[in-house]
Amino acid sequence: MRAFLAINLDRKMKELVAGVQDELKKRTRGFRWVNPELLHLTLKFLGEIRSEDLQLFEQPLKELAEKMPPFRLTFDRLGAFPNFRRPRVIWIGAQVGSEQLELLAEKIESVFRSLSFQPDQRKRGKEENIFVPHLTIGRKRKDQDIYFPSEILHEDWNCEYAVSVDRFSLMQSILYASGPVYRPVKEFLLDA
Ligand code: ATP
Ligand code: MG
Protein backbone atom coordinates (compact mmCIF):
# COMPACT_ATOMS: atom_id res chain seq x y z
CA MET A 1 0.00 0.00 0.00
CA ARG A 2 0.97 3.63 -0.47
CA ALA A 3 1.60 5.00 3.00
CA PHE A 4 2.78 7.99 4.99
CA LEU A 5 3.05 9.07 8.62
CA ALA A 6 1.06 12.15 9.52
CA ILE A 7 -0.41 14.32 12.20
CA ASN A 8 -4.13 14.76 11.64
CA LEU A 9 -5.91 17.95 12.63
CA ASP A 10 -8.95 18.57 14.77
CA ARG A 11 -12.14 20.08 13.39
CA LYS A 12 -11.39 23.57 14.58
CA MET A 13 -7.99 23.73 12.87
CA LYS A 14 -9.49 22.36 9.64
CA GLU A 15 -12.12 25.10 9.75
CA LEU A 16 -9.53 27.81 10.35
CA VAL A 17 -7.35 26.60 7.48
CA ALA A 18 -10.45 26.36 5.27
CA GLY A 19 -10.95 30.05 6.04
CA VAL A 20 -7.41 30.79 4.82
CA GLN A 21 -8.16 28.81 1.65
CA ASP A 22 -11.37 30.77 1.08
CA GLU A 23 -9.44 34.01 1.30
CA LEU A 24 -6.78 32.75 -1.12
CA LYS A 25 -9.44 31.49 -3.54
CA LYS A 26 -10.70 35.03 -3.89
CA ARG A 27 -7.28 36.57 -4.40
CA THR A 28 -5.44 34.06 -6.62
CA ARG A 29 -6.03 32.11 -9.85
CA GLY A 30 -4.87 28.76 -11.17
CA PHE A 31 -4.84 26.64 -8.02
CA ARG A 32 -6.80 23.63 -6.86
CA TRP A 33 -7.53 23.84 -3.13
CA VAL A 34 -7.22 20.77 -0.91
CA ASN A 35 -10.47 19.53 0.61
CA PRO A 36 -10.21 20.71 4.25
CA GLU A 37 -11.21 17.23 5.43
CA LEU A 38 -7.97 15.91 3.93
CA LEU A 39 -5.60 18.46 5.49
CA HIS A 40 -2.75 16.82 7.42
CA LEU A 41 0.88 17.34 8.34
CA THR A 42 3.13 14.71 6.77
CA LEU A 43 5.91 13.60 9.10
CA LYS A 44 7.32 11.10 6.65
CA PHE A 45 6.26 9.84 3.25
CA LEU A 46 6.85 6.10 2.99
CA GLY A 47 5.62 5.28 -0.50
CA GLU A 48 4.80 1.66 -1.32
CA ILE A 49 5.17 -0.56 1.71
CA ARG A 50 4.44 -4.26 2.25
CA SER A 51 2.98 -5.79 5.40
CA GLU A 52 6.47 -7.18 6.24
CA ASP A 53 7.77 -3.61 6.24
CA LEU A 54 5.07 -2.58 8.66
CA GLN A 55 6.15 -5.31 11.07
CA LEU A 56 9.69 -3.93 10.94
CA PHE A 57 8.91 -0.38 11.95
CA GLU A 58 5.71 -0.67 13.95
CA GLN A 59 7.33 -1.52 17.28
CA PRO A 60 10.16 1.07 17.09
CA LEU A 61 7.63 3.76 16.22
CA LYS A 62 5.38 2.72 19.08
CA GLU A 63 8.33 2.91 21.49
CA LEU A 64 9.48 6.31 20.31
CA ALA A 65 5.94 7.67 20.57
CA GLU A 66 5.63 6.44 24.13
CA LYS A 67 8.73 8.43 25.07
CA MET A 68 7.45 11.72 23.62
CA PRO A 69 5.10 14.10 25.42
CA PRO A 70 2.02 15.45 23.63
CA PHE A 71 2.49 19.00 22.38
CA ARG A 72 0.69 21.91 20.79
CA LEU A 73 1.10 23.05 17.24
CA THR A 74 0.33 26.34 15.55
CA PHE A 75 0.44 27.38 11.89
CA ASP A 76 1.44 30.90 11.11
CA ARG A 77 2.78 31.59 7.63
CA LEU A 78 2.32 30.73 3.98
CA GLY A 79 4.96 29.08 1.86
CA ALA A 80 5.35 27.51 -1.56
CA PHE A 81 7.29 24.71 -3.24
CA PRO A 82 9.56 25.03 -5.06
CA ASN A 83 9.42 28.79 -4.44
CA PHE A 84 7.08 31.75 -4.64
CA ARG A 85 8.07 32.83 -8.12
CA ARG A 86 6.91 29.49 -9.49
CA PRO A 87 4.51 28.17 -6.87
CA ARG A 88 3.46 24.58 -7.53
CA VAL A 89 2.37 23.75 -3.99
CA ILE A 90 0.98 26.34 -1.56
CA TRP A 91 1.26 25.49 2.09
CA ILE A 92 0.71 26.84 5.55
CA GLY A 93 3.71 26.27 7.77
CA ALA A 94 3.98 25.11 11.36
CA GLN A 95 5.52 27.66 13.66
CA VAL A 96 9.26 27.87 13.10
CA GLY A 97 11.18 26.33 15.97
CA SER A 98 8.38 24.04 17.02
CA GLU A 99 10.94 21.95 18.85
CA GLN A 100 8.80 18.99 19.77
CA LEU A 101 7.57 18.62 16.22
CA GLU A 102 11.11 18.75 14.87
CA LEU A 103 12.29 16.27 17.47
CA LEU A 104 9.46 13.90 16.60
CA ALA A 105 10.26 14.09 12.88
CA GLU A 106 13.97 13.53 13.58
CA LYS A 107 13.31 10.50 15.73
CA ILE A 108 11.02 9.01 13.10
CA GLU A 109 13.71 9.64 10.50
CA SER A 110 16.29 7.87 12.63
CA VAL A 111 14.05 4.81 13.02
CA PHE A 112 13.87 4.43 9.25
CA ARG A 113 17.57 5.17 8.87
CA SER A 114 18.46 2.46 11.35
CA LEU A 115 16.25 0.01 9.44
CA SER A 116 17.80 1.12 6.14
CA PHE A 117 14.27 1.61 4.94
CA GLN A 118 13.97 4.69 2.75
CA PRO A 119 11.22 5.49 0.32
CA ASP A 120 11.80 6.35 -3.28
CA GLN A 121 12.10 10.13 -3.43
CA ARG A 122 13.37 10.48 -6.96
CA LYS A 123 10.26 12.22 -8.15
CA ARG A 124 10.65 15.09 -5.74
CA GLY A 125 12.89 18.11 -5.81
CA LYS A 126 15.31 18.43 -2.94
CA GLU A 127 13.30 21.27 -1.43
CA GLU A 128 10.71 18.75 -0.42
CA ASN A 129 13.15 16.23 0.95
CA ILE A 130 14.26 18.44 3.78
CA PHE A 131 11.62 18.45 6.49
CA VAL A 132 9.49 21.57 6.19
CA PRO A 133 6.55 21.03 8.53
CA HIS A 134 3.54 22.17 6.54
CA LEU A 135 -0.02 21.56 5.48
CA THR A 136 -0.42 21.47 1.72
CA ILE A 137 -3.43 23.68 1.11
CA GLY A 138 -3.34 24.13 -2.66
CA ARG A 139 -1.68 22.89 -5.81
CA LYS A 140 -1.17 24.52 -9.18
CA ARG A 141 -3.65 23.37 -11.77
CA LYS A 142 -1.98 21.78 -14.76
CA ASP A 143 -1.89 23.81 -17.97
CA GLN A 144 -3.13 26.96 -16.30
CA ASP A 145 -1.52 30.29 -15.72
CA ILE A 146 -1.39 31.29 -12.13
CA TYR A 147 -1.94 34.55 -10.36
CA PHE A 148 -0.50 34.83 -6.86
CA PRO A 149 0.25 38.39 -5.74
CA SER A 150 3.34 38.47 -3.56
CA GLU A 151 1.84 40.81 -0.96
CA ILE A 152 -0.18 37.83 0.27
CA LEU A 153 3.04 36.45 1.71
CA HIS A 154 3.73 39.43 3.86
CA GLU A 155 0.39 39.27 5.59
CA ASP A 156 -0.17 37.62 8.94
CA TRP A 157 -1.59 34.12 8.48
CA ASN A 158 -1.46 33.05 12.09
CA CYS A 159 -4.42 30.78 12.77
CA GLU A 160 -4.50 31.95 16.42
CA TYR A 161 -5.23 28.45 17.54
CA ALA A 162 -3.06 25.57 18.72
CA VAL A 163 -3.96 22.01 17.87
CA SER A 164 -3.15 19.44 20.57
CA VAL A 165 -1.02 16.67 19.15
CA ASP A 166 -1.23 13.47 21.17
CA ARG A 167 -0.57 10.94 18.42
CA PHE A 168 0.58 10.42 14.88
CA SER A 169 -0.88 8.02 12.37
CA LEU A 170 0.17 5.63 9.68
CA MET A 171 -2.05 6.61 6.79
CA GLN A 172 -2.85 4.68 3.65
CA SER A 173 -3.24 6.83 0.56
CA ILE A 174 -5.33 5.64 -2.36
CA LEU A 175 -4.99 7.80 -5.42
CA TYR A 176 -8.07 8.23 -7.60
CA ALA A 177 -8.52 10.47 -10.61
CA SER A 178 -10.93 12.47 -8.48
CA GLY A 179 -8.28 12.91 -5.78
CA PRO A 180 -6.67 10.95 -2.95
CA VAL A 181 -8.47 9.11 -0.18
CA TYR A 182 -6.57 8.62 3.09
CA ARG A 183 -7.30 5.91 5.60
CA PRO A 184 -5.76 5.69 9.09
CA VAL A 185 -4.14 2.27 9.49
CA LYS A 186 -2.40 2.62 12.83
CA GLU A 187 -2.11 5.23 15.56
CA PHE A 188 0.96 5.89 17.69
CA LEU A 189 0.10 7.59 20.95
CA LEU A 190 2.47 10.16 22.49
CA ASP A 191 2.56 9.17 26.09
CA ALA A 192 5.61 10.42 28.00
P1 ATP B 1 -1.97 13.44 -5.11
O1 ATP B 1 -0.61 12.78 -5.22
O2 ATP B 1 -3.05 12.71 -5.86
O3 ATP B 1 -1.93 14.90 -5.40
P2 ATP B 1 -1.45 13.50 -2.27
O4 ATP B 1 -0.14 14.08 -2.66
O5 ATP B 1 -2.24 14.17 -1.22
O6 ATP B 1 -2.38 13.34 -3.55
P3 ATP B 1 0.11 11.18 -1.78
O7 ATP B 1 0.90 11.45 -3.03
O8 ATP B 1 -0.22 9.77 -1.46
O9 ATP B 1 -1.26 11.99 -1.81
O10 ATP B 1 0.92 11.83 -0.59
C1 ATP B 1 0.55 11.65 0.76
C2 ATP B 1 1.29 12.69 1.58
O11 ATP B 1 2.70 12.50 1.46
C3 ATP B 1 1.03 14.13 1.13
O12 ATP B 1 1.09 14.96 2.27
C4 ATP B 1 2.19 14.42 0.20
O13 ATP B 1 2.52 15.81 0.17
C5 ATP B 1 3.31 13.64 0.86
N1 ATP B 1 4.26 13.15 -0.13
C6 ATP B 1 3.97 12.47 -1.26
N2 ATP B 1 5.07 12.13 -1.94
C7 ATP B 1 6.12 12.61 -1.22
C8 ATP B 1 7.55 12.57 -1.37
N3 ATP B 1 8.13 11.95 -2.41
N4 ATP B 1 8.29 13.16 -0.43
C9 ATP B 1 7.73 13.77 0.64
N5 ATP B 1 6.39 13.83 0.86
C10 ATP B 1 5.60 13.26 -0.06
MG1 MG C 1 1.21 13.28 -4.14
Side-chain angles (χ1 to χ4, degrees), residues 17-185:
V17 175
V20 171
Q21 291 175 309
D22 288 342
E23 180 72 18
L24 294 177
K25 274 177 205 168
K26 289 187 236 155
R27 294 168 60 188
T28 67
R29 291 283 175 282
F31 296 93
R32 182 160 61 73
W33 300 97
V34 172
N35 175 350
E37 283 305 319
L38 299 184
L39 292 167
H40 62 274
L41 187 150
T42 299
L43 290 165
K44 183 160 182 68
F45 180 69
L46 301 175
E48 273 309 312
I49 60 165
R50 302 162 300 173
S51 48
E52 306 94 275
D53 298 328
L54 179 54
Q55 281 157 29
L56 273 179
F57 60 71
E58 187 178 352
Q59 190 58 27
L61 289 181
K62 183 167 178 279
E63 284 167 18
L64 91 75
E66 281 166 359
K67 286 185 227 140
M68 303 267 314
F71 60 96
R72 290 156 76 79
L73 194 56
T74 59
F75 295 90
D76 61 359
R77 76 214 136 90
L78 293 180
F81 292 136
N83 58 57
F84 258 111
R85 277 170 291 108
R86 282 183 306 123
R88 199 161 47 73
V89 169
I90 306 291
W91 45 261
I92 182 157
Q95 189 183 26
V96 177
S98 171
E99 285 171 25
Q100 282 155 301
L101 176 62
E102 275 150 34
L103 190 62
L104 177 60
E106 253 168 54
K107 294 210 160 160
I108 289 173
E109 203 53 59
S110 69
V111 162
F112 287 95
R113 216 180 300 123
S114 70
L115 295 171
S116 304
F117 182 92
Q118 288 298 332
D120 181 359
Q121 298 191 323
R122 278 175 301 183
K123 288 197 194 112
R124 287 259 165 152
K126 57 178 182 294
E127 298 91 344
E128 282 160 273
N129 290 334
I130 40 169
F131 181 63
V132 180
H134 68 278
L135 309 175
T136 294
I137 60 171
R139 292 187 166 97
K140 184 190 175 304
R141 287 180 192 276
K142 288 195 186 76
D143 311 319
Q144 273 194 34
D145 290 336
I146 54 158
Y147 173 67
F148 194 99
S150 62
E151 76 253 18
I152 289 178
L153 299 181
H154 306 300
E155 294 169 23
D156 181 11
W157 295 97
N158 192 331
C159 283
E160 308 281 349
Y161 172 69
V163 60
S164 300
V165 179
D166 66 356
R167 69 195 62 200
F168 63 90
S169 307
L170 175 69
M171 304 294 289
Q172 177 180 12
S173 168
I174 308 169
L175 302 179
Y176 294 106
S178 53
V181 171
Y182 309 134
R183 187 177 70 88
V185 175

